[in-house]
Amino acid sequence: FDMSSDYIPHWRSWLKEDQIATYSTPQRWSKMFDVITAHFVLEHVLDPVASLSRILHLLREGGALFLSVPNPLANKADLLAVDHVNHFTEASLDWALRTAGFEIIELDKESFGGAFLVVAAAVSAPDGESPDAGKDIESSIAKLEEAVRFWRGADTKLAAFRSQFQGRRASIYGAGVYGSYIYSKVARDLNIECFIDQNPHVRAAPHMGKPVISPGELPTNIDLVFAGLNPRN
């Protein structure tokens, strides 16, 4: 199942037609599955509780859901992703699952850096009433506010660089999330000539309309280089 038809040609090479669905799940799939996986999905959906409730409807009694979502407290970049309409903490993830009729069996925030890995059991049908929050919400809010202050501080620093080096030739190290963030903040006042990245796959195509080069190809007339690296490093 997917929210697009992109994978249908591949699926048809090894799945029967009635084992394939896109956009919406067929009624015949009700109570059909022992295990459902949803990796890095819930951060993209407008109503995660509704999506979890639909998953519950597909699971047999005693079935399990194995999911992953970004952990913005461990990876601040989650707050930059424009297509992440939800940002989960342990408390809000627990609340969403219990509201939909699941009980968390295991929540792992260590094995996959910057993400929650969750196994949850289907325990009941949603009754329309939200459970008590339960977890330490105040602590989660404080940590999220700290992450927001980090990015606001980064905005302020980049604005100062943009003013100080206006019109200068610059390059950005890292053609990923952080490099893209830097580009969005400084490109209007600096001449960004290129991105630098050690990954040869990234260098196969331009990024943000600029060439992506290896470190050894950096032109000698570049005045400054911005380092777009994960702040955890």
Side-chain angles (χ1 to χ4, degrees), residues 93-195:
L93 188 56
D94 176 74
W95 180 89
L97 284 160
R98 287 189 293 126
T99 300
F102 287 93
E103 179 182 359
I104 292 180
I105 303 302
E106 182 178 358
L107 188 150
D108 181 351
K109 51 187 176 182
E110 304 298 333
S111 296
F112 193 130
F116 294 115
L117 299 180
V118 178
V119 177
V123 294
S124 65
D127 58 12
E129 293 189 13
S130 297
D132 293 335
K135 300 282 184 179
D136 185 358
I137 293 177
E138 295 300 325
S139 175
S140 295
I141 291 174
K143 291 177 181 177
L144 283 171
E145 289 176 339
E146 180 183 351
V148 171
R149 285 194 296 272
F150 171 87
W151 288 117
R152 286 178 175 165
D155 285 352
T156 300
K157 291 177 182 178
L158 287 170
F161 279 121
R162 191 178 67 227
S163 175
Q164 181 180 353
F165 297 105
Q166 188 170 11
R168 305 285 285 276
R169 298 167 64 92
S171 180
I172 299 173
Y173 186 93
V177 172
Y178 305 102
S180 302
Y181 160 72
I182 293 171
Y183 182 89
S184 73
K185 297 296 179 180
V186 303
R188 69 182 186 186
D189 289 321
L190 277 72
N191 294 320
I192 305 297
E193 299 292 327
C194 57
F195 286 87

Side-chain angles (χ1 to χ4, degrees), residues 40 43 67-79 84 86-93 107-118 140 143-144 147 151 178 230 232:
F40 299 107
E43 66 270 22
L67 67 85
S68 55
V69 293
N71 176 0
L73 303 184
N75 185 3
K76 297 181 179 69
D78 180 53
L79 299 178
H84 290 188
N86 303 299
H87 304 283
F88 291 98
T89 64
E90 186 175 348
S92 64
L93 188 56
L107 188 150
D108 181 351
K109 51 187 176 182
E110 304 298 333
S111 296
F112 193 130
F116 294 115
L117 299 180
V118 178
S140 295
K143 291 177 181 177
L144 283 171
W151 288 117
Y178 305 102
N230 191 321
R232 288 191 299 166

Side-chain angles (χ1 to χ4, degrees), residues 31 48-59 95-102 121-131:
K31 306 302 178 185
V49 172
S51 295
L52 289 168
S53 297
R54 286 194 291 272
I55 290 173
L56 185 82
H57 178 71
L58 300 175
L59 284 168
W95 180 89
L97 284 160
R98 287 189 293 126
T99 300
F102 287 93
V123 294
S124 65
D127 58 12
E129 293 189 13
S130 297

Side-chain angles (χ1 to χ4, degrees), residues 2-84:
D2 195 58
M3 292 301 293
S4 78
S5 58
D6 293 351
Y7 299 103
I8 287 181
H10 171 64
W11 290 344
R12 283 177 173 158
S13 69
W14 61 287
L15 290 171
K16 298 177 181 178
E17 200 65 32
D18 64 357
Q19 296 175 319
I20 296 171
T22 56
Y23 301 104
S24 62
T25 53
Q27 183 61 34
R28 66 180 181 275
W29 284 11
S30 176
K31 306 302 178 185
M32 181 178 177
F33 298 94
D34 296 304
V35 177
I36 291 177
T37 64
H39 295 299
F40 299 107
V41 172
L42 292 182
E43 66 270 22
H44 297 280
V45 301
L46 291 177
D47 190 339
V49 172
S51 295
L52 289 168
S53 297
R54 286 194 291 272
I55 290 173
L56 185 82
H57 178 71
L58 300 175
L59 284 168
R60 292 173 178 157
E61 184 177 351
L65 169 63
F66 177 31
L67 67 85
S68 55
V69 293
N71 176 0
L73 303 184
N75 185 3
K76 297 181 179 69
D78 180 53
L79 299 178
L80 296 182
V82 69
D83 58 337
H84 290 188

